[in-house]
Amino acid sequence: MTALTTKHPLALIVALAAFVLSAATAMAQSTSPLRIEITEGVIEPVPFAIPDFVPENAAGQQYAASLARVVAANLSGTGLLREIPSSAHVGRISSFDSPVQFSDWRAINSQALITGAVLVNGPNITVKFRLFDVVSGQQLGDGLQLDGRTDSWRRMAHRVSDAVYTRLTGESGYFDSRVVFIAESGSRENRRKQVAIMDQDGENVQFITDGSALAFAPRFSPTGDRLLFTSYESGFPRIYLMDVATRARQMIGDQPGTMTFAPRFSPDGQSVVYSLSVGGSTNLFLLNLASAQRFQLTNTGAIDTAPSFSPDGQSVVFESDREGTSQLYIMNVSTGDTRRISHGQGRYSTPVWSPRGDLIAFTKSNAGRFHIGVMRTDGSNERLLTSSYLDEGPTWAPNGRVIMFSREQAGGDSGLFSVDISGRNLRRVPTPGAASDPSWSPLLP
């Protein structure tokens, strides 16, 4: 797919004052430019309209409604925007190039309007869209055109969603991305766990492993083309590196008499940090994938695990019980200097550094409840976003605005959920069955 024309609009302003999402509303008669503020409090999600895309030939008809539905679902799912259903539309878009009658869309209190067109020529598809500020009667940025194969139409819808989201918030989108996770099936006594991959909205599920051996902790590379996961295929936990496209895989970091697990890539994708357990202790190691050289990062009699790199690659956050209970620590990779950052009540685990570098997400258990939380990298401003029987394993969206995690209800199966970093807009992510341990990819190239 090729984006022919894009331009970031200057008409939209974003205030990034805190970590709570809200949408600023405006009166339909106002001349102020449409604006979604990310600030304190929650007002009303901005109403938008998105008619079915205009089919520019007969073959495009089968994609016209589907494209609009995917875009609408993506944007509505953010909690920042609210779709006005087509049954309420007064105006109609019959031609992509015809002038917009803004009075028709003001009449239904729509503040944003998304129009699109689709042209299909054999196996090829062209998708176009425009975004309008209904209040001011202005187009926001240039139009966007995407060209590709018909089997990539959903990706095109995700890319349109990302473009709209960026123009309305000033932040990068996260819709054109994938999630790798553990698909679970079978009884609790004979649980089947296999690595699966899907689009971030739960579509296009593919199974990466066959389920003949337990697998867990799948993690994307920084470029999204490789995976790390741990498998019991050999009878002991071992780390595997897999090419997503070819499914070719190899065991890495193996050492007889040890167990290796909890791997993550370094930000440059050239190394892997992981846990190695031997002789009753578990320490962190760094493996250079090109040279196979291994460096020991920690050396204690405790359990050091669940490492995650900072975006600049200089530090690693991890969990350790070196002070009696599981807590979070940050270590400078070059010097080995380590400091504890968690100081609240309870136990902390599975820390993950935000792609923005400003926050660390984690799992917390306290007083019989599990939580997904975030804190600053110095341990300050701890905030718990969720609470349930069992919430665990957070992973960040590519833009650092949304967190996905696993939730298990008492006596039930595990499923995937997402929540924004304000703790609002909790949503279940559809999966074909029980699912756990998600890892979000970067935006697709």
Side-chain angles (χ1 to χ4, degrees):
M1 293 184 294
T2 304
L4 299 184
T5 57
T6 58
K7 180 180 179 181
H8 189 283
L10 299 179
L12 301 180
I13 303 173
V14 169
L16 299 173
F19 301 100
V20 185
L21 302 181
S22 72
T25 58
M27 299 299 292
Q29 290 77 23
S30 171
T31 58
S32 300
L34 176 60
R35 168 181 176 175
I36 295 180
E37 292 184 344
I38 301 177
T39 173
E40 296 184 0
V42 171
I43 309 176
E44 183 72 17
V46 170
F48 72 96
I50 177 169
D52 289 351
F53 284 20
V54 176
E56 295 192 323
N57 63 358
Q61 182 67 53
Q62 64 175 309
Y63 299 97
S66 298
L67 284 160
R69 290 306 88 220
V70 172
V71 175
N74 283 337
L75 298 176
S76 298
T78 66
L80 288 174
L81 295 109
R82 172 180 59 84
E83 185 192 8
I84 297 174
S86 59
S87 59
H89 293 183
V90 174
R92 293 291 183 265
I93 304 297
S94 57
S95 171
F96 182 70
D97 294 318
S98 295
V100 173
Q101 300 300 315
F102 289 104
S103 59
D104 291 341
W105 303 101
R106 294 189 188 109
I108 60 171
N109 296 320
S110 177
Q111 295 184 28
L113 172 67
I114 304 160
T115 66
V118 54
L119 175 71
V120 173
N121 184 13
N124 300 315
I125 185 172
T126 296
V127 175
K128 297 181 287 187
F129 96 95
R130 291 190 177 107
L131 174 64
F132 298 92
D133 178 351
V134 175
V135 176
S136 65
Q138 298 176 354
Q139 181 173 323
L140 300 177
D142 291 342
L144 178 72
Q145 177 171 311
L146 303 172
D147 297 297
R149 309 283 287 183
T150 53
D151 59 5
S152 66
W153 73 267
R154 289 189 63 87
R155 275 207 65 195
M156 292 183 172
H158 292 321
R159 291 187 63 185
V160 169
S161 305
D162 283 332
V164 172
Y165 180 88
T166 296
R167 294 178 185 190
L168 292 178
T169 68
E171 298 184 339
S172 61
Y174 57 90
F175 306 111
D176 188 23
S177 60
R178 295 189 288 182
V179 174
V180 64
F181 64 99
I182 296 298
E184 302 187 18
S185 59
S187 66
R188 293 186 177 274
E189 296 74 25
N190 188 26
R191 202 64 165 167
R192 181 185 180 95
K193 295 189 176 185
Q194 56 191 128
V195 180
I197 192 171
M198 66 182 182
D199 296 347
Q200 54 79 28
D201 59 356
E203 295 291 333
N204 296 326
V205 176
Q206 303 174 46
F207 295 99
I208 303 296
T209 61
D210 60 13
S212 59
L214 288 178
F216 56 98
R219 302 290 182 254
F220 271 110
S221 68
T223 50
D225 58 345
R226 293 173 296 163
L227 292 176
L228 292 167
F229 63 93
T230 304
S231 173
Y232 275 86
E233 184 176 326
S234 68
F236 294 91
R238 292 287 185 269
I239 298 170
Y240 289 83
L241 173 67
M242 174 180 283
D243 183 282
V244 174
T246 67
R247 304 292 197 264
R249 63 176 182 169
Q250 63 182 102
M251 186 186 298
I252 63 170
D254 183 40
Q255 181 177 336
T258 68
M259 295 185 292
T260 54
F261 51 94
R264 282 193 189 271
F265 284 96
S266 60
D268 62 9
Q270 297 180 11
S271 300
V272 172
V273 62
Y274 64 99
S275 292
L276 184 149
S277 182
V278 60
S281 63
T282 300
N283 286 289
L284 301 183
F285 286 78
L286 185 66
L287 177 71
N288 183 286
L289 292 174
S291 67
Q293 285 185 295
R294 187 179 62 196
F295 307 91
Q296 186 165 352
L297 298 180
T298 65
N299 186 13
T300 72
I303 298 176
D304 296 342
T305 189
S308 174
F309 268 102
S310 60
D312 62 11
Q314 296 182 6
S315 301
V316 169
V317 62
F318 63 98
E319 67 175 89
S320 175
D321 64 356
R322 60 183 61 187
E323 295 183 48
T325 61
S326 180
Q327 300 294 328
L328 304 185
Y329 298 81
I330 287 181
M331 178 181 60
N332 184 291
V333 175
S334 299
T335 66
D337 292 340
T338 303
R339 68 183 190 277
R340 177 174 165 176
I341 63 169
S342 59
H343 298 285
Q345 296 294 319
R347 303 168 64 90
Y348 296 77
S349 60
T350 64
V352 189
W353 219 302
S354 165
R356 298 182 178 189
D358 57 341
L359 294 174
I360 290 171
F362 56 86
T363 302
K364 181 176 182 175
S365 60
N366 184 41
R369 303 287 288 178
F370 279 77
H371 313 268
I372 300 299
V374 294
M375 64 174 64
R376 297 190 184 275
T377 58
D378 61 1
S380 65
N381 197 31
E382 176 182 323
R383 293 180 293 110
L384 300 182
L385 310 180
T386 73
S387 178
S388 84
Y389 170 77
L390 180 57
D391 287 353
E392 61 181 350
T395 181
W396 290 94
N399 69 349
R401 179 57 59 183
V402 180
I403 294 172
M404 193 178 295
F405 61 97
S406 326
R407 166 169 287 184
E408 181 179 330
Q409 305 290 355
D413 283 333
S414 179
L416 303 186
F417 285 74
S418 67
V419 66
D420 64 47
I421 57 174
S422 71
R424 304 179 191 272
N425 198 35
L426 178 68
R427 298 169 58 87
R428 181 156 194 158
V429 180
T431 55
S436 60
D437 211 353
S439 175
W440 217 316
S441 80
L443 286 176
L444 298 176

